[in-house]
């Protein structure tokens, strides 16, 4: 499988070698402030990574992570865990940082005697499967591992796009749960507190600004709630999830008066059962085309776009069912000028930028992309018809 390279802009120059493990240390474990000295080696940098913003890296540019199972200045990741998530260590306290507030950086001594870095008190790690600088393959793993933001926060996406049958493309949180807006609110002001906030948990923002995929950044903002937390706003409307939704694809909250799923432009998502093609954020592929139920659409390298021709039939079409549409179908989240159909077995198969579209029999729920890269010829389709992940 070929992965799309992330856009990386290094925020600083690399001025020292990578992190050096300490082989012996007799001091007692404790957190210490970092004293930047003239001859000290740089241990931490900040790098800009597409979709995640400024994140903390080691001096070689490898992404650093934090673990929700840890406590401030205390690592719970040893043994096999530490083999998968190597601790970010330094030889001693004589190190410097670049791009990170020095007051946020410290270190403590692990059980094996090595000295591990902390940012915002949280121990820092690399991920063993990140093969080169800028990779973030560990992001979100087990729901507990997150890339470290420059202020020490988790770089969890605040929101992304998803698909609800009948509603089309909507906003969801990082776990895929539908986001809502409330007619009882006012632009830039939440009136949902107490028991209301228990039923409709506010979508909070960690870090300096919201991290969102598939949404115009100009629509995004925050308000400060009474408890001091920052709540996401889209088109100035405060955003919430619904306690009655337990999995992606659910939008039970739309049955409650005054509550509406939030469309990708911040407006109220309205019922439209004619939508057959839309788009959503799928894993690390970004925004791709999906059918009305949020199932990923694919294109096949052996097909042709000029003229639009399918070369997948028989057993191939059983594994890769053609994406059929009915007369009068509607499109959302994809440029309608790119959308067409071809005749196939008396039915109409969807095309995007001329490329015939398919589903994958190995995808079971919305958001799956198990067909990506299969045989080196099958690729999720981006909203412009191009191949995702290439």
């Amino acid at each position: 499988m070929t992965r799309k390279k992330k856009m990386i802009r290094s925020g600083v120059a690399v001025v020292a070698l990578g992190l050096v493990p300490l082989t012996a240390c007799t001091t007692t474990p404790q957190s210490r402030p970092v004293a930047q000295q003239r001859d000290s080696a740089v241990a931490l940098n900040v790098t800009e990574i597409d979709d995640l913003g400024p994140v903390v890296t080691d001096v070689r540019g490898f992404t650093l992570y934090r673990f929700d199972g840890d406590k401030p200045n205390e690592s719970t990741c040893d043994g096999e865990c530490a083999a998968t998530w190597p601790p970010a260590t330094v030889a001693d306290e004589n190190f410097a940082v670049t791009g990170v507030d020095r007051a946020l950086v410290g270190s403590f001594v692990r059980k094996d005697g090595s000295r591990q870095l902390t940012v915002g008190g949280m121990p820092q790690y690399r991920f063993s499967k990140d093969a080169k600088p800028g990779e973030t393959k560990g992001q979100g793993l087990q729901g507990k591992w997150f890339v470290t933001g420059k202020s020490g926060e988790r770089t969890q996406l605040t929101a992304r796009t998803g698909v609800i049958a009948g509603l089309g493309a909507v906003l969801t949180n990082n776990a895929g749960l539908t986001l809502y807006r409330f007619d009882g609110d006012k632009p830039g002001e939440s009136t949902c507190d107490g028991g209301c906030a228990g039923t409709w948990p506010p979508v909070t923002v960690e870090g300096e600004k919201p991290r969102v995929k598939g949404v115009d950044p100009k629509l995004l903002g925050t308000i400060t709630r009474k408890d001091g937390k920052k709540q996401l706003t889209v088109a100035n409307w405060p955003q919430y999830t619904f306690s009655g939704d337990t999995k992606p694809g659910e939008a039970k909250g739309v049955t409650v008066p005054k509550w509406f799923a939030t469309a990708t432009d911040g407006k109220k998502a309205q019922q439209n059962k004619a939508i057959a093609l839309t788009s959503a954020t799928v894993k690390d592929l970004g925004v791709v085309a999906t059918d009305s139920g949020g199932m990923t659409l694919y294109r096949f390298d052996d097909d042709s776009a000029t003229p639009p021709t399918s070369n997948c039939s028989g057993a191939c079409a059983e594994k890769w069912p053609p994406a059929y549409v009915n007369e009068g179908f509607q499109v959302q989240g994809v440029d309608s000028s790119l959308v067409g159909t071809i005749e196939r077995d008396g039915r109409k198969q969807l095309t995007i930028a001329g490329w015939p579209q398919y589903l994958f029999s190995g995808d079971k729920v919305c958001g799956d992309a198990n067909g990506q890269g299969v045989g080196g010829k099958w690729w999720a389709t981006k909203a412009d018809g191009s191949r995702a992940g290439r």
Side-chain angles (χ1 to χ4, degrees):
M1 182 183 300
T2 305
R3 293 176 55 87
K4 178 179 178 181
K5 295 182 179 178
K6 294 180 179 287
M7 292 175 59
I8 305 168
R9 301 190 302 276
S10 178
V12 296
V14 175
V15 297
L17 296 175
L19 302 180
V20 180
L22 185 66
T23 56
C25 183
T26 57
T27 57
T28 56
Q30 58 182 316
S31 177
R32 299 176 181 272
V34 175
Q36 186 171 7
Q37 300 181 14
R38 185 171 53 190
D39 58 350
S40 57
V42 173
L44 295 179
N45 286 331
V46 170
T47 295
E48 187 85 14
I49 294 183
D50 192 31
D51 295 325
L52 295 181
V55 305
V56 179
T57 71
D58 69 14
V59 73
R60 293 184 296 158
F62 282 90
T63 304
L64 295 186
Y65 299 82
R66 47 174 285 173
F67 178 42
D68 282 357
D70 284 346
K71 298 177 181 179
N73 304 308
E74 181 181 340
S75 170
T76 61
C77 182
D78 298 295
E80 292 183 6
C81 174
T84 302
W85 301 92
T89 58
V90 286
D92 52 41
E93 293 180 284
N94 183 32
F95 64 87
V97 299
T98 304
V100 183
D101 184 348
R102 285 181 293 165
L104 294 173
V105 184
S107 67
F108 69 97
V109 178
R110 291 174 57 84
K111 295 176 183 178
D112 63 2
S114 61
R115 181 171 293 279
Q116 185 170 3
L117 288 163
T118 63
V119 180
M122 297 302 292
Q124 298 297 299
Y125 306 84
R126 274 190 52 196
F127 182 47
S128 61
K129 293 185 179 180
D130 285 347
K132 56 186 177 181
E135 290 191 338
T136 56
K137 295 177 181 177
Q139 172 70 350
L141 287 186
Q142 302 171 358
K144 292 185 176 181
W145 289 91
F146 297 94
V147 175
T148 303
K150 67 176 295 184
S151 298
E153 79 281 6
R154 300 181 301 175
T155 58
Q156 187 169 232
L157 286 175
T158 307
R160 57 184 183 179
T161 55
V163 175
I164 302 296
L167 292 178
V170 301
L171 294 184
T172 75
N173 68 2
N174 192 53
L177 298 179
T178 303
L179 299 194
Y180 298 85
R181 47 174 285 178
F182 179 39
D183 274 358
D185 285 344
K186 298 177 181 178
E189 180 181 346
S190 169
T191 61
C192 182
D193 297 296
C196 174
T199 303
W200 301 91
V203 178
T204 56
V205 174
E206 297 184 52
E208 298 177 1
K209 59 182 181 179
R211 294 180 173 91
V212 178
K213 275 188 176 182
V215 183
D216 184 348
K218 295 178 182 178
L219 296 174
L220 306 175
T222 62
I223 58 172
T224 302
R225 295 181 59 83
K226 294 177 182 179
D227 60 6
K229 294 182 178 179
K230 291 191 292 185
Q231 182 175 3
L232 175 70
T233 63
V234 181
N236 217 23
W237 284 93
Q239 298 297 303
Y240 308 83
T241 55
F242 178 48
S243 59
D245 291 342
T246 60
K247 59 186 178 182
E250 292 185 339
K252 298 176 181 177
V254 298
T255 63
V256 180
K258 295 187 177 182
W259 289 90
F260 297 86
T262 305
T264 55
D265 59 1
K267 297 179 180 178
K268 301 173 186 177
Q270 303 290 348
Q271 287 283 340
N272 185 350
K273 295 183 179 181
I275 295 174
L277 171 64
T278 185
S279 59
T281 306
V282 174
K283 298 188 175 182
D284 61 351
L285 299 178
V287 179
V288 304
T290 75
D291 71 2
S292 61
M295 301 301 290
T296 302
L297 295 180
Y298 299 87
R299 47 172 282 180
F300 182 34
D301 281 354
D302 285 354
D303 285 349
S304 169
T306 51
T309 305
S310 170
N311 290 306
C312 178
S313 58
C316 175
E318 292 180 6
K319 186 175 182 179
W320 301 92
Y324 291 116
V325 292
N326 297 319
E327 290 285 354
F329 73 94
Q330 294 188 17
V331 176
Q332 181 190 72
V334 177
D335 185 346
S336 59
S337 68
L338 298 175
V339 180
T341 61
I342 56 174
E343 293 295 327
R344 182 189 181 107
D345 303 323
R347 304 178 66 182
K348 294 184 181 297
Q349 182 179 2
L350 181 72
T351 65
I352 302 177
W355 289 96
Q357 298 297 299
Y358 306 83
L359 300 167
F360 178 50
S361 59
D363 289 344
K364 302 304 180 183
V365 297
C366 62
D368 279 352
N370 298 316
Q372 174 69 1
V374 170
K377 293 186 176 183
W378 289 92
W379 311 97
T381 306
K382 296 177 67 174
D384 62 1
S386 62
R387 298 179 294 189
R390 292 295 302 271

